[in-house]
Amino acid sequence: MQQKVATLTKPAASDWLAEMFSKQTCRCCSTNSNGGAIKTAQQATKEEDNLKQMSAACESILKSIGEDPSREGLLKTPERWAKALLFLTQGYGHDLGTLLNGAVFEEYHNEMVVVCDIDIHSLCEHHMVPFTGRVHIGYIPNGRILGLSKLARLAEMFSRRLQVQERLTTQITDAIVKAVQPLGVAVVVECVHFCMVMRGVQKVGVNTVTSSVRGCFEYNSKIRAEFFSIIHGNGMKKC
């Protein structure tokens, strides 16, 4: 495939990226990203306190809806719910520098890189009900590439928060721009929102699609069309 893209130029020195990796500290860890994720005693105590507060709140909610938290089936539900919610929102405990962990490589490849069908699971911030779906990411490098798994991890990090799909799409796009300064980025997110299925309008089978484009994907319609043809199949066999 031939691409009409901006002239490839060597990017600026990556000192800023190295500095980000060395200084960035994950909020859930006691060391920086090069030192590993080690929780301090203070952080462990705080997490335990959070778990107790969330469990107590869940018990109060159970009572408010007319349930009996002391019956056998619900005895451990408050703690299970608290742990589940912390897992579903674990993206708050990660940041870009920690997540990339140095997986940015100099490579003068100026053709499109596309990763399709990254599954995601998130919580709508309006009702705290799940929305689930998939993400498609494409970018054209400008002297740097990302480890492929990092694209999936970016989608995971931002989806594991209270979200709206529109913001999620933009956050993934902007994170890739910040990480490798590519010639262009395109992100498409397709999801089913259970706040539309289980409540409200109660419509099954409704998909919400959002997209975000930067750089050459924004101003070059041929490049944008190629990306959409790839993610929509276009007769290509998938492994």
Side-chain angles (χ1 to χ4, degrees), residues 4 40 46 49 69 77 100 142 144 172 176 178 196 200:
K4 289 187 179 180
T40 64
K46 184 178 180 182
D49 289 343
T77 296
L100 295 180
N142 185 22
R144 297 192 191 100
I172 296 170
I176 296 170
K178 182 177 181 181
M196 293 179 63

Side-chain angles (χ1 to χ4, degrees), residues 119-154:
D119 63 293
I120 59 164
H121 310 281
S122 191
L123 292 175
C124 164
E125 68 178 29
H126 300 142
H127 304 98
M128 291 181 66
V129 176
F131 66 92
T132 183
R134 55 187 182 169
V135 178
H136 314 290
I137 300 173
Y139 76 102
I140 298 180
N142 185 22
R144 297 192 191 100
I145 60 171
L146 274 171
L148 291 176
S149 68
K150 300 306 179 183
L151 296 173
R153 290 186 186 280
L154 278 174

Side-chain angles (χ1 to χ4, degrees), residues 24-31 37 39 43 47 86-96 98-99 156-158 160-161:
Q24 194 75 272
T25 302
C26 178
R27 287 179 292 246
C28 64
C29 305
S30 62
T31 62
K39 294 178 183 176
Q43 287 166 333
E47 284 189 7
L86 289 173
F87 175 82
L88 294 172
T89 58
Q90 63 183 302
Y92 290 118
H94 301 284
D95 51 56
L96 183 60
T98 305
L99 181 141
E156 178 77 3
M157 179 180 75
F158 289 116
R160 292 297 188 183
R161 303 176 179 185

Side-chain angles (χ1 to χ4, degrees), residues 8 43 52 61 68 83 110 113 124 135 169 195 201 227:
L8 183 65
Q43 287 166 333
K52 288 179 180 178
I61 291 171
D68 176 12
K83 289 180 178 178
N110 65 340
V113 179
C124 164
V135 178
T169 310
C195 60
V201 294
F227 169 72

Side-chain angles (χ1 to χ4, degrees), residues 112-113 136-141 146 151 154 169-188 211-219 223-224 227:
M112 196 180 300
V113 179
H136 314 290
I137 300 173
Y139 76 102
I140 298 180
L146 274 171
L151 296 173
L154 278 174
T169 310
T170 301
Q171 285 177 332
I172 296 170
T173 308
D174 290 342
I176 296 170
V177 171
K178 182 177 181 181
V180 291
Q181 301 174 334
L183 295 175
V185 182
V187 175
V188 170
S211 66
S212 176
V213 293
R214 300 285 186 274
C216 58
F217 286 89
E218 187 172 7
Y219 60 75
I223 292 175
R224 189 166 62 251
F227 169 72

